[in-house]
Amino acid sequence: MTTGAVDRGGPRYAAATDVGLVRSNNEDAFLTAPPLFAVADGMGGHRAGEVASAGAIRTLQKEAGHDTDSLVAAVQSANRVVHAEAAANPDLSGMGTTITAMMTTHDSAQIVHVGDSRAYLLRDGRLRRLTQDHTVVDRLAREGKIPAAEVDRHPQRSVLERALGVSPEVDIDVQLLDVRPGDRLLLCTDGLTSMLDDDEIRDILLTDLDPQTAAQALIDAALAAGGKDNVTAVIVDFPRLDGATADPSRTAEQPAVVLAGGAPYPSSRLRSTGSRSTGIHSAGGTTGGSVRPAGGSAPAGARTPPSHRVSHQASYQASRGIRQAGPPGSAPGSRPSSDPSETSGGPASRPRRTRLVLGVAIVVLVLVLGLLGGFLALRSSWYVGERSGHVAVFRGVPGSFAGIRVSSLAHVTDITTVSLPAIYQQQLRDGIAAADRKAADRTAENMRHLQVPAEQIPTSTVTPTSTETASP
């Protein structure tokens, strides 16, 4: 399928997508709604990948405005939507999607990115990759553990470290690009980059000047190379204006930063794209808000009123061991009291003891009822976890209370956890909650569709992080 158009007064654009020669359904999705463009590559069991990518694109289009803040917020919202839908439907458990989106103006492009779909810039005959793949293999290449030339052909190239919908929060790469007249931008899924190398992509982009023709030519070339995956390409051209010349003093690209998932932009921290194996370093800078001294000390000049004031008379009496006189008839030095029951020990003290006993009984009853309710809740709770290296279904909740496990094993499947991407292995260790036994069984069985082929399982030389997943 190919779409194309000319945005009057703005960039020319086109898009093309194809299911490929191996897959039975297309889990890619794209968006061409100037000034917003995007591609997404879904993953998951059954047809969950289609649901994930379509849901992410739909949310992006609905919530993105025309500025940087809204684009980042829209991607965060898309992540929450996909994750919530996966959590609500066991058949969709584990689904996720990549996303690479771009907001354009006449001379700039804001690019946000999660996963291994890519953005490229073709300028003056040179093709530059703008995004960084969030894959195990790409990280290993950055760390110098494997040659960079092996990345695009490595059998583990599809093992992701980040994707939308897999976790409640996600880190998002964000960068601002200054564009010039004559620039051509390409957004594409890994179905293209796994079939064609960068030189082949560059040659096609240079040869076919019409964006619609170029987009379809990229798809055709990927199919001719094997078409082993769904393939999608979105091309956005910034046409040269009559008499316009490029300003070489303009910065072509600002460094990408990682916007941490969690609080909405801009209160989230921006973090540099340093080596992810050792954590992401702060990009520096300060945030707004008042600053208070460490330890919470009061501002200079503030007076803290004393909590107690003792009169001279009271101090004198205390120093002499003199106690205040009680009511008439009381022994010298006795404590004053206005309650005759405290001194008489008579029947008036009995209601107080009765109230105390009743209070204790009520507290005990509440605790017993709470424990009983908690026990019943545990018995009605289910989750999917790990037992002896296999995916298993449990009754109760993960973890323990006071050293006592609060779950029991229901059954163990034949699905080995080592065959799953690392991010799902971590989810199983934490426990994946399910509404009931049937939902837990369906979630466990859906893990079968997420298994990584044996040749793609990381070897002992690969040390995946706890946030990996795999494209199907």
Side-chain angles (χ1 to χ4, degrees):
M1 179 177 67
T2 304
T3 64
V6 176
D7 184 18
R8 295 182 179 180
R12 302 171 66 231
Y13 63 90
T17 187
D18 195 278
V19 68
L21 304 178
V22 176
R23 301 297 181 89
S24 60
N25 59 306
N26 195 343
E27 295 184 328
D28 286 359
F30 68 86
L31 176 65
T32 53
L36 182 61
F37 304 89
V39 295
D41 181 2
M43 60 188 183
H46 304 294
R47 302 178 73 87
E50 294 179 43
V51 176
S53 60
I57 291 294
R58 186 167 52 249
T59 303
L60 183 71
Q61 183 176 17
K62 177 182 177 182
E63 300 200 11
H66 292 75
D67 56 82
T68 302
D69 295 10
S70 69
L71 181 57
V72 173
V75 173
Q76 290 174 335
S77 180
N79 177 72
R80 290 189 291 270
V81 167
V82 176
H83 182 265
E85 191 168 2
N89 187 343
D91 288 335
L92 303 177
S93 178
M95 76 173 179
T97 182
T98 69
I99 194 162
T100 300
M102 176 173 65
M103 185 83 71
T104 63
T105 67
H106 71 284
D107 63 354
S108 68
Q110 180 75 29
I111 299 172
V112 296
H113 166 67
V114 178
D116 64 351
S117 296
R118 293 180 181 177
Y120 287 91
L121 168 67
L122 180 69
R123 171 178 291 170
D124 298 329
R126 179 191 173 202
L127 185 68
R128 179 190 305 173
R129 196 174 101 187
L130 301 175
T131 53
Q132 175 179 284
D133 290 351
H134 300 142
T135 62
V136 173
V137 172
D138 202 71
R139 173 172 56 81
L140 292 175
R142 294 194 303 272
E143 295 171 353
K145 295 181 179 179
I146 62 173
E150 294 183 8
V151 171
D152 288 338
R153 296 295 182 264
H154 199 284
Q156 300 163 15
R157 64 183 177 275
S158 294
V159 180
L160 296 177
E161 291 188 324
R162 257 190 266 171
L164 290 190
V166 177
S167 300
E169 305 296 342
V170 67
D171 290 349
I172 304 170
D173 284 8
V174 185
Q175 64 178 303
L176 179 64
L177 175 73
D178 287 336
V179 296
R180 304 172 184 172
D183 283 350
R184 169 170 278 187
L185 287 164
L186 167 68
L187 308 181
C188 61
T189 59
D190 69 335
L192 178 68
T193 56
S194 62
M195 294 290 100
L196 305 178
D197 60 33
D198 286 0
D199 287 340
E200 293 172 307
I201 294 173
R202 178 181 62 84
D203 290 344
I204 294 173
L205 293 177
L206 284 172
T207 302
D208 296 294
L209 300 182
D210 178 69
Q212 186 167 351
T213 304
Q216 189 59 52
L218 289 172
I219 302 301
D220 293 342
L223 297 179
K228 296 180 179 179
D229 197 358
N230 310 142
V231 54
T232 301
V234 173
I235 294 177
V236 182
D237 287 345
F238 290 80
R240 296 186 184 277
L241 303 177
D242 294 339
T245 58
D247 182 2
S249 66
R250 290 184 54 144
T251 301
E253 181 181 351
Q254 295 184 6
V257 295
V258 178
L259 185 60
Y265 188 89
S267 60
S268 297
R269 293 184 297 123
L270 293 179
R271 301 189 289 180
S272 68
T273 53
S275 172
R276 299 183 68 249
S277 64
T278 57
I280 303 173
H281 305 287
S282 172
T286 59
T287 58
S290 61
V291 178
R292 308 184 77 174
S297 58
R303 298 183 61 185
T304 303
S307 57
H308 300 283
R309 290 189 181 273
V310 182
S311 66
H312 293 294
Q313 180 182 2
S315 300
Y316 174 80
Q317 290 177 340
S319 66
R320 297 296 183 183
I322 302 174
R323 296 185 180 180
Q324 184 177 353
S330 63
S334 64
R335 181 170 58 89
S337 175
S338 59
D339 186 354
S341 65
E342 291 189 77
T343 56
S344 65
S349 64
R350 292 172 187 170
R352 172 168 295 185
R353 287 195 295 270
T354 301
R355 290 195 298 269
L356 179 61
V357 171
L358 287 175
V360 171
I362 291 173
V363 170
V364 171
L365 179 61
V366 169
L367 290 175
V368 170
L369 292 175
L371 291 173
L372 180 60
F375 175 77
L376 294 176
L378 292 178
R379 298 301 296 170
S380 62
S381 299
W382 294 85
Y383 72 94
V384 179
E386 178 186 19
R387 173 61 63 89
S388 302
H390 288 76
V391 177
V393 174
F394 294 85
R395 187 174 197 171
V397 295
S400 60
F401 178 75
I404 302 174
R405 293 190 63 84
V406 287
S407 63
S408 59
L409 178 66
H411 79 274
V412 180
T413 71
D414 61 349
I415 307 169
T416 59
T417 54
V418 71
S419 68
L420 299 171
I423 191 168
Y424 298 111
Q425 295 181 33
Q426 181 61 52
Q427 287 185 344
L428 289 170
R429 286 191 288 270
D430 295 338
I432 303 173
D436 51 33
R437 171 64 182 271
K438 184 178 179 181
D441 289 339
R442 290 162 62 193
T443 297
E445 185 60 26
N446 199 46
M447 289 289 169
R448 194 179 304 279
H449 301 280
L450 300 172
Q451 290 177 291
V452 178
E455 66 272 12
Q456 292 188 23
I457 297 177
T459 63
S460 58
T461 60
V462 181
T463 308
T465 66
S466 61
T467 56
E468 300 163 8
T469 186
S471 292

